[in-house]
Amino acid sequence: MKKLWRGLVTAFSMYSALPMPQVAWDADSMKYALCFFPFVGAAVGALCFLWGWLCSWLGLSAFLYAGGMVLIPLLVTGGIHLDGFVDTSDGLHSHLEPARKLEIMKDPHIGAFGVIRCGMYLLALFALAGALAGNPGAAPLYALGFWTARGFSAFAIVTFPAAKNTGLARLFADNADKKTVRVVAVLAVLAGFAGMLWAHLWAGLAAAALSLILYYWFYRMSRREFGGITGDLAGYLVCLLELLYLAAAVLGGILG
């Protein structure tokens, strides 16, 4: 039980900006930490759902609704996944060999491709969230997406080959009980899919199918372009899946 508690605290300490008790990052605390990665997404999803309910109750505008839906995940996570999205965008669009891409991603300075892709990503999130404001009944599908995306990412971290011998993703993967993390991650994804189907059958089916296609593309891309996965790439995957699930929720609202 102590290892599970330390794993939970480690997961929230690493992947969120929420205040947590301090625990040492050692083999015991990292053994099950990735099992709790989806729970960080559950916290984000719950707050987004609560914000949507509050906006509806107070009659706030679609602009405020959309702004909150974009800002809440960034505030809760501290922007760690968006940082990975930006770094990966810089490396991916450099069109250099994998080793140079990894060097670019490690550089603390942001490049032009990262800025452009970040702006495009945030604009897409805001536009889709604004569209969702008119159909709040589909919001549960998006809220479940935060949980599901992190299930996919956790599975990738302990399953894909590592692109380098250093970094937090490699550290967590090396110290994880990989079999347990894989089982928990798969169950988390399946539970997320089940919830999406319950929220809206056709939009849930679209979200499940498209996320599996995206995951396969990500697996091929990460191996081809970078030689494997890194922490930045894991964050890149989370961001893409969250955008996909928001689009699916908007589709659910349109279908009714």
Side-chain angles (χ1 to χ4, degrees):
M1 185 61 70
K2 184 177 180 181
K3 288 183 180 180
L4 292 177
W5 167 249
R6 293 182 67 182
L8 173 67
V9 172
T10 300
F12 273 82
S13 298
M14 174 64 196
Y15 295 110
S16 83
L18 300 175
M20 285 286 129
Q22 287 191 350
V23 298
W25 282 21
D26 53 24
D28 284 343
S29 62
M30 287 187 281
K31 187 174 184 178
Y32 300 113
L34 288 171
C35 293
F36 294 100
F37 190 18
F39 288 85
V40 179
V44 177
L47 289 172
C48 283
F49 185 79
L50 180 62
W51 172 250
W53 174 83
L54 185 64
C55 286
S56 178
W57 184 56
L58 295 176
L60 300 181
S61 70
F63 283 102
L64 285 175
Y65 176 90
M69 286 296 190
V70 174
L71 287 174
I72 287 171
L74 294 176
L75 291 172
V76 175
T77 64
I80 185 173
H81 306 304
L82 185 61
D83 176 71
F85 178 87
V86 170
D87 288 344
T88 300
S89 296
D90 272 333
L92 182 61
H93 296 286
S94 68
H95 302 293
L96 298 173
E97 65 275 9
R100 283 288 295 125
K101 287 186 174 78
L102 292 173
E103 290 178 10
I104 290 171
M105 291 164 65
K106 190 177 180 180
D107 191 326
H109 301 94
I110 186 172
F113 289 115
V115 173
I116 293 169
R117 294 304 186 280
C118 182
M120 292 170 63
Y121 178 77
L122 292 175
L123 181 60
L125 281 179
F126 186 83
L128 288 170
L132 185 62
N135 298 283
L141 194 154
Y142 179 44
L144 287 163
F146 294 103
W147 162 280
T148 311
R150 284 157 180 79
F152 272 116
S153 188
F155 188 85
I157 290 171
V158 296
T159 305
F160 292 7
K164 54 185 182 179
N165 295 322
T166 58
L168 286 172
R170 181 61 184 265
L171 179 65
F172 273 75
D174 286 347
N175 287 282
D177 182 334
K178 293 185 179 181
K179 183 177 180 180
T180 301
V181 172
R182 288 189 187 108
V183 171
V184 171
V186 169
L187 290 175
V189 170
L190 292 177
F193 284 169
M196 291 178 187
L197 292 172
W198 171 81
H200 194 289
L201 177 60
W202 296 112
L205 283 172
L210 290 174
S211 59
L212 289 172
I213 294 171
L214 174 61
Y215 194 71
Y216 177 70
W217 168 84
F218 175 78
Y219 170 74
R220 297 290 299 274
M221 180 277 292
S222 62
R223 296 200 66 174
R224 181 182 67 251
E225 301 290 345
F226 299 95
I229 196 165
T230 68
D232 283 334
L233 278 158
Y236 182 79
L237 175 63
V238 168
C239 287
L240 291 181
L241 285 169
E242 288 179 356
L243 183 63
L244 186 154
Y245 294 135
L246 177 55
V250 172
L251 174 63
I254 294 172
L255 296 176

